[in-house]
C-alpha cells in the first residue's frame, strides 16, 4: 500500500492563537508566541494540552549505552517509561506506517516520540531514519525524542535537520559521587567505564547537550528520577542548574522499583518516594522552574492520551488489515484540531476575563486567607469531570486555596468496578483507591455507586457527583467556595490514613 503524505493541518486548524497553550501553571501562561506555538498541542509540555491531545511512541531503538540501577534491559527504558512492559520492536518503515495509521484513527494525536525501549541516540540510524521519513510524510506531527544524553552532543545537528523541537534529557544528578550510586557503568568510546569516572563523563555530556540544544532554540525537558536517599537532597540543585542553562521544563518522576522487575534497586530493596515526598520535592524545585506534574511514565510504544494506552489497537497485523481513507482521515484531523483550538481559545478568554474580574473585585472584597484543600478528579479527558468513580484507573489531584486552583499530579488506582474483591495482592480495589486518595478531602466524579460512598466518607473524603460534565477547575472552585461558606475550611481536615 502506498502511504500518503499527511497534510500540514495545524496551521489550517487555527494554530495556537495567542495563548491557548499554557497550563494551570502561571509561568506557562506568559510564553512568547513562538514558544506557545511549540507547546500548545504537546501533551507533555503543556498541562492543559494533555486533556485534549494525544502522543504516541514508536519502539525503534533497542540498544543502550549506559546502565541505570533502575533498569532491567528486559523492559523499556525507565528514563521515560514505566518498567514492567516490553514493546513490540519496529523497523523504521513499520514505525512510519504505524504512525500514519494512528494519525488517521486518533485525530487528537499530535506528537510522535521515540523513547526506547533502549536509548534512541544509541540507535541513531533507526531513530533518524524514522524521523526523516516522518518529517517528509507527516509534517503536521511534532517530533520528540528522549535520551540519557551520553551521545547527545554528537547528534544535536542531526536533530535540528528534522525540525525536532522537543528533546528530553534524563538528568538525575550533576555530582559524579551521586551519579556513581545510580549508574554502575557507561559504554564510552568502545570501553566500559565504571563508577564515578563513568558518571562524570555522562554528566558532562548531558550538560553539554543541554547547552547545545538551547543554543539552537530547541525546547528541552529534563526528566529526573527521584530516588529517596540517593538524589532526593540533590535534585533541587539539579533543577537550579538546568534552569540556569535554559531548560524549559523539569519533570521529577518517582522511582519505580518493584522487586519483580529484577532491577538492581528492586532487588536491593531501594524504595520509591511516597506521593507526599514527590510533591514536596516538586514544590521545592518549582521555585526555580516550570515543573511537569502530569507525566504518566508511558511505555516506549504508548498510544493515546497520557494515561491511556491504545497500543493494542495498532499491532502490525491489525494495521495491515485496516482500510483507511487517508484524505478523509486528514480532513477529519483538521476539523478535530480546529474544534479543540476553538475550545482552548474560548477557555483562554474566559480565564483572562476571570482574572480581570478577580482583580477588580479584589479591590473591594478582601477574602480572608483559607487553608488549602486537595481534591481528586475522575476524568477521561477534555478538561471536564466525565468519569464514573468505579471506572477511574487514576485520579487527577488539584489543590484549591484562597489564591486559586493548581494541578498537583495524578495517582494511579485500580478501577473499582473492575477490581473485584482483591487485586491479586490481598488489597481490594477500593482499598487501593482510598490509598490513592490519601490527603484528599473531596473526590469529584460523574457518578458514584452507593457501596464506596460510606468507606470514602469514613476516610474523610467527601464523594461528589454534582459537577458531572462541568469543567474541572470551575467545579473545584465552586466546591471550595461551598466549603468556605459552610465553615469547613475553619476546621482542620479529618485525620486520614497514610499512603503506603
Ligand atoms: Fe513521548 Fe516524552 Fe516526547 Fe512526551 S512522553 S518522548 S516528551 S511525547 Fe510525556 Fe510520557 Fe511523561 Fe514522557 S507523559 S513519560 S514526559
Ligand atoms: Fe535502561 Fe534507559 Fe537507563 Fe538505558 S538509559 S539503562 S534503557 S533506563
Amino acid at each position: 500500500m502506498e502511504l500518503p503524505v499527511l497534510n500540514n493541518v495545524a496551521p489550517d486548524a487555527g494554530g495556537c492563537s495567542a495563548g491557548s497553550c499554557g497550563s494551570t501553571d502561571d509561568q506557562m501562561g506568559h510564553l512568547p508566541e513562538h514558544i506557545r506555538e511549540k507547546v500548545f498541542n504537546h501533551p507533555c509540555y503543556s498541562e492543559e494540552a494533555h486533556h485534549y491531545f494525544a502522543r504516541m511512541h514508536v519502539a525503534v531503538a533497542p540498544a543502550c549505552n549506559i546502565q541505570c540501577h533502575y533498569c532491567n534491559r528486559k523492559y523499556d527504558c525507565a528514563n521515560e517509561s514505566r518498567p514492567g512492559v516490553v514493546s513490540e520492536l519496529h523497523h523504521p518503515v513499520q514505525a512510519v506506517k504505524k504512525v500514519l495509521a494512528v494519525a488517521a484513527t486518533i485525530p487528537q494525536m499530535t506528537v510522535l516520540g521515540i523513547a526506547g525501549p533502549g536509548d534512541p541516540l544509541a540507535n541513531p540510524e533507526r531513530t533518524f531514519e524514522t524521523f526523516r521519513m516522518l518529517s517528509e510524510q507527516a509534517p503536521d506531527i511534532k517530533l520528540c525524542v528522549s535520551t540519557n544524553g551520553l551521545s547527545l552532543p554528537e547528534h544535536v545537528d542531526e536533530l535540528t535537520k528534522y525540525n525536532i523541537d522537543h528533546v528530553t534529557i534524563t538528568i538525575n544528578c550533576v555530582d559524579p559521587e551521586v551519579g556513581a550510586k545510580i549508574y554502575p557503568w557507561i559504554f564510552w568510546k568502545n570501553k566500559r567505564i565504571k563508577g564515578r569516572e563513568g558518571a562524570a563523563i555522562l554528566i558532562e555530556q548531558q550538560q553539554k547537550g543541554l547547552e547545545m540544544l538551547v543554543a539552537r532554540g530547541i525546547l528541552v525537558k529534563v526528566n529526573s528520577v527521584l530516588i529517596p536517599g540517593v538524589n532526593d537532597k540533590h535534585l533541587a540543585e539539579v533543577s537550579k542548574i538546568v534552569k540556569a542553562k535554559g531548560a524549559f521544563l523539569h519533570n521529577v518522576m518517582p522511582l519505580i522499583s518493584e522487586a519483580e522487575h529484577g532491577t538492581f534497586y528492586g532487588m536491593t530493596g531501594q524504595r520509591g518516594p511516597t506521593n507526599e515526598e514527590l510533591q514536596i520535592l516538586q514544590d521545592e524545585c518549582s521555585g526555580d522552574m516550570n515543573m511537569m506534574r502530569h507525566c504518566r511514565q508511558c511505555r516506549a510504544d504508548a498510544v493515546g492520551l497520557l494515561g491511556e494506552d491504545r497500543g493494542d489497537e495498532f499491532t502490525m497485523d491489525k494495521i495491515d488489515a485496516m482500510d483507511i481513507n487517508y484524505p478523509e482521515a486528514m480532513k477529519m484531523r483538521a476539523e478535530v484540531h480546529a474544534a479543540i483550538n476553538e475550545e482552548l481559545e474560548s477557555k483562554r478568554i474566559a480565564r483572562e476575563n476571570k482574572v480581570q474580574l478577580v482583580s477588580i473585585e479584589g479591590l473591594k472584597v478582601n477574602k480572608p486567607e483559607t487553608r488549602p484543600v486537595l481534591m481528586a478528579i475522575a476524568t477521561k479527558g477534555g478538561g471536564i469531570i466525565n468519569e464514573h468513580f468505579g471506572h477511574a484507573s487514576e485520579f487527577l489531584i488539584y489543590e484549591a486555596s484562597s489564591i486559586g486552583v493548581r494541578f498537583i499530579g495524578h495517582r494511579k488506582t485500580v478501577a473499582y468496578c473492575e477490581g473485584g474483591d482483591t487485586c491479586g495482592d490481598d488489597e481490594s480495589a477500593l482499598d487501593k483507591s482510598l490509598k490513592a486518595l490519601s490527603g484528599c478531602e473531596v473526590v469529584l466524579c460523574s457518578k458514584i455507586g452507593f457501596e464506596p460512598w460510606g468507606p470514602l466518607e469514613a476516610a474523610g473524603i467527601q464523594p461528589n457527583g454534582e459537577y458531572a460534565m462541568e469543567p474541572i477547575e470551575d467545579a473545584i472552585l465552586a466546591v471550595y467556595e461551598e466549603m468556605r461558606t459552610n465553615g469547613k475550611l475553619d476546621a482542620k481536615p479529618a485525620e486520614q490514613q497514610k499512603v503506603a
Side-chain angles (χ1 to χ4, degrees):
M1 178 180 63
E2 199 184 329
L3 293 166
V5 171
L6 300 190
N7 294 326
N8 191 348
V9 295
D12 299 341
C16 174
S17 40
S20 58
C21 78
S23 67
T24 48
D25 189 336
D26 275 352
Q27 292 160 303
M28 293 276 272
H30 300 98
L31 297 173
E33 191 57 31
H34 70 285
I35 307 270
R36 281 182 213 279
E37 192 61 47
K38 287 181 182 172
V39 301
F40 85 99
N41 64 354
H42 195 308
C44 304
Y45 282 69
S46 158
E47 196 274 311
E48 184 173 46
H50 101 280
H51 295 288
Y52 300 90
F53 293 106
R55 54 74 185 103
M56 73 174 287
H57 291 164
V58 283
V60 294
C64 190
N65 47 10
I66 68 171
Q67 178 64 58
C68 306
H69 272 325
Y70 45 75
C71 177
N72 176 346
R73 296 306 175 89
K74 274 202 327 222
Y75 303 119
D76 290 341
C77 173
N79 276 336
E80 181 82 352
S81 316
R82 191 177 60 240
V85 280
V86 187
S87 302
E88 184 188 14
L89 199 65
H90 294 312
H91 289 291
V93 171
Q94 291 175 309
V96 169
K97 192 170 175 180
K98 180 171 176 175
V99 174
L100 297 177
V102 173
T105 316
I106 307 178
Q108 298 88 339
M109 192 278 284
T110 46
V111 176
L112 176 277
I114 300 184
D119 185 74
L121 300 184
N123 305 259
E125 291 82 16
R126 298 171 68 108
T127 296
F128 288 117
E129 180 62 359
T130 308
F131 282 145
R132 186 190 61 72
M133 287 192 279
L134 282 171
S135 64
E136 287 166 12
Q137 296 185 44
D140 76 311
I141 295 176
K142 286 185 159 67
L143 303 177
C144 191
V145 66
S146 168
T147 175
N148 62 40
L150 183 63
S151 6
L152 180 57
E154 70 194 83
H155 292 301
V156 165
D157 288 334
E158 183 89 14
L159 283 165
T160 56
K161 277 193 205 157
Y162 308 113
N163 288 330
I164 295 167
D165 279 334
H166 304 81
V167 176
T168 296
I169 316 172
T170 298
I171 301 180
N172 293 320
C173 55
V174 288
D175 175 351
E177 290 300 332
V178 178
K181 295 181 193 151
I182 303 171
Y183 307 105
W185 54 261
I186 66 164
F187 198 71
W188 177 246
K189 300 194 172 157
N190 298 320
K191 272 204 297 209
R192 195 175 297 263
I193 301 179
K194 294 184 183 167
R196 195 185 183 285
E197 196 191 340
I201 296 169
L202 177 64
I203 291 167
E204 197 187 324
Q205 289 291 98
Q206 290 171 337
Q207 296 297 321
K208 192 169 158 196
L210 167 61
E211 288 163 22
M212 290 172 77
L213 290 168
V214 170
R216 286 159 179 78
I218 294 174
L219 291 188
V220 182
K221 171 163 75 64
V222 169
N223 279 1
S224 301
V225 180
L226 168 54
I227 311 161
V230 175
N231 67 353
D232 48 346
K233 303 272 183 296
H234 180 58
L235 284 181
E237 172 75 3
V238 171
S239 215
K240 222 178 259 174
I241 288 173
V242 298
K243 187 205 173 181
K245 292 195 174 171
F248 176 73
L249 200 57
H250 192 191
N251 173 23
V252 178
M253 315 187 295
L255 171 73
I256 300 173
S257 59
E258 316 304 339
E260 61 267 29
H261 295 152
T263 63
F264 175 82
Y265 282 152
M267 305 298 281
T268 54
Q270 169 66 53
R271 70 172 179 91
T274 62
N275 291 327
E276 285 80 2
E277 286 170 333
L278 180 64
Q279 191 189 325
I280 288 168
L281 187 75
Q282 287 173 332
D283 286 347
E284 208 183 315
C285 295
S286 71
D288 284 297
M289 71 183 301
N290 294 330
M291 298 302 293
M292 176 180 188
R293 296 171 191 258
H294 59 284
C295 174
R296 302 299 201 279
Q297 292 171 282
C298 317
R299 301 168 50 129
D301 60 356
V303 175
L305 291 172
L306 300 192
E308 172 181 76
D309 202 349
R310 297 181 59 181
D312 284 353
E313 295 170 42
F314 300 96
T315 52
M316 283 327 287
D317 53 331
K318 286 184 184 158
I319 291 169
D320 286 339
M322 283 178 182
D323 181 19
I324 297 171
N325 179 337
Y326 280 97
E328 266 308 305
M330 293 313 118
K331 222 171 102 202
M332 187 177 70
R333 257 176 93 75
E335 284 166 10
V336 169
H337 289 198
I340 296 175
N341 287 331
E342 206 176 298
E343 187 174 335
L344 289 175
E345 178 64 4
S346 60
K347 275 189 153 186
R348 183 191 66 80
I349 292 169
R351 247 194 330 257
E352 272 184 12
N353 290 343
K354 205 184 282 173
V355 169
Q356 279 171 12
L357 192 69
V358 169
S359 53
I360 295 164
E361 292 290 315
L363 295 174
K364 294 185 262 169
V365 188
N366 222 346
K367 281 190 184 162
E369 223 176 82
T370 39
R371 69 178 176 84
V373 170
L374 287 188
M375 298 192 200
I377 308 295
T379 175
K380 286 193 272 218
I384 51 178
I385 298 166
N386 55 2
E387 183 71 294
H388 193 298
F389 176 83
H391 298 164
S393 56
E394 67 169 20
F395 296 101
L396 301 191
I397 310 296
Y398 288 80
E399 183 188 75
S401 71
S402 42
I403 53 167
V405 177
R406 70 177 181 128
F407 178 72
I408 296 288
H410 75 286
R411 297 190 194 161
K412 287 193 192 314
T413 183
V414 171
Y416 172 67
C417 290
E418 292 154 22
D421 288 338
T422 64
C423 304
D425 51 6
D426 293 335
E427 197 174 36
S428 74
L430 184 54
D431 286 343
K432 278 211 189 309
S433 291
L434 288 170
K435 207 180 259 180
L437 295 171
S438 159
C440 299
E441 293 177 55
V442 178
V443 56
L444 288 154
C445 48
S446 63
K447 244 182 172 185
I448 180 165
F450 179 70
E451 220 173 299
W453 194 283
L456 280 166
E457 275 193 333
I461 304 158
Q462 184 59 52
N464 186 326
E466 285 168 29
Y467 293 88
M469 306 314 288
E470 300 274 332
I472 292 171
E473 293 186 13
D474 292 356
I476 292 172
L477 280 175
V479 172
Y480 190 71
E481 187 55 23
E482 274 170 37
M483 290 177 81
R484 196 180 66 77
T485 45
N486 294 338
K488 288 199 176 148
L489 300 180
D490 304 334
K492 279 193 172 162
E495 189 67 22
Q496 292 191 349
Q497 76 279 14
K498 288 255 178 288
V499 181

